[in-house]
């Protein structure tokens, strides 16, 4: 069985604070994060651990002290404060995965001190005694498909070049973002009488080596399936008087189609749902096993 094991919950990052946003009617939990040290993949891992640990703490009720008296229905917003550093393409992709995992339950924002970033850039240029280094071609769009201003494009291009110099390779191209397949349908929830829980099984048979497409399909199906929890057809299978019940969601994918991106997204899902009423189980199996599941 290619079953992932859940990770131990990490500690909330040191220096994490909270404040009340009157405009958003939300508790903003601010995580200080330095994106200047390490390879992009290492920065992404640290960022993921910090955000997941903080979300877990929020879910355990460790934040919310800043909510004014009398306020009801307050939201929670996670703020990654990078100060004078900027997040590269790989860490930003990690933020995207976390946003999709959280859905509408919790917002994640990235805050950067633009003036400090520009000052650091100017100081670095002035310190260099050699000729100016050629900048890569300025990107027109960010990792989330948003159109970049000239200043944003310059920041992203500069970070890509710095990461490339650190790794000794050419500046990375933008991460491919694919749409899910058009024929995908969310899994149907049934009532598990033994456990007293709603259960749904997502089974994906992907093409060999199609990691990016499999990741997109996984993200879509998990979101769509969980989004159907409040649908009348789903609520109709819950016995009357069931009260509070758990959600059992299994995602099974053939190993030939599950590369690093798909596995990273599935691991994010396991971490995100740990400690909640959603029992999120991942299975990475050979193609033959997935075909058998689909045939049942």
């Amino acid at each position: 069985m290619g079953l992932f094991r859940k990770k131990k919950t990490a500690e909330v990052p040191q220096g994490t604070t909270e404040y009340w946003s009157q405009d958003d009617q939300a508790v903003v939990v601010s995580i200080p994060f330095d994106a200047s040290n390490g390879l992009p993949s290492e920065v992404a891992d640290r960022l993921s651990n910090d955000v997941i640990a903080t979300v877990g703490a929020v879910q355990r009720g460790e934040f919310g002290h800043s909510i004014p008296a009398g306020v009801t229905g307050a939201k929670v917003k996670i703020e990654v404060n990078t100060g004078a550093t900027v997040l590269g393409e790989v860490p930003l992709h990690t933020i995207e995965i976390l946003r999709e995992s959280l859905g509408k339950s919790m917002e994640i924002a990235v805050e950067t001190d633009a003036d400090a970033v520009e000052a650091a850039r100017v100081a670095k240029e002035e310190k260099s005694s050699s000729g100016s280094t050629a900048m890569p071609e300025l990107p027109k769009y960010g990792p989330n498909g948003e159109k970049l201003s000239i200043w944003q494009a310059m920041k992203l291009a500069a970070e890509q070049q710095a990461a490339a110099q650190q790794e000794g390779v050419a500046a990375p191209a933008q991460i491919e973002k694919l749409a899910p397949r058009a024929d995908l349908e969310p899994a149907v929830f049934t009532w598990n009488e033994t456990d007293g829980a709603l259960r749904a099984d997502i089974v994906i048979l992907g093409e060999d080596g199609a990691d990016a497409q499999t990741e997109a399909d996984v993200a879509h199906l998990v979101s769509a399936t969980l989004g159907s929890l409040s649908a009348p057809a789903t609520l109709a299978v819950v016995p009357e008087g069931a009260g509070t019940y758990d959600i059992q969601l299994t995602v099974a994918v053939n190993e030939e189609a599950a590369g690093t991106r798909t596995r990273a997204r599935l691991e994010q899902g396991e971490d995100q749902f740990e400690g909640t009423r959603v029992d999120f189980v991942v299975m990475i199996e050979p193609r033959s096993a997935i075909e058998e599941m689909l045939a049942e």
Side-chain angles (χ1 to χ4, degrees), residues 12 16-18 27 29 53-54 57-58 60-67:
V12 174
T16 299
T17 58
E18 70 169 87
V27 174
V29 182
T54 304
V58 170
R60 293 192 300 272
E62 296 177 16
F63 291 97
H65 312 294
S66 61
I67 301 176

Side-chain angles (χ1 to χ4, degrees), residues 205 254-256 285-295:
L205 183 64
N254 60 302
E255 60 188 6
E256 299 87 352
E285 300 288 349
R287 174 176 290 276
S288 58
I290 299 299
E291 289 175 338
E292 289 180 8
M293 292 181 192
L294 290 172

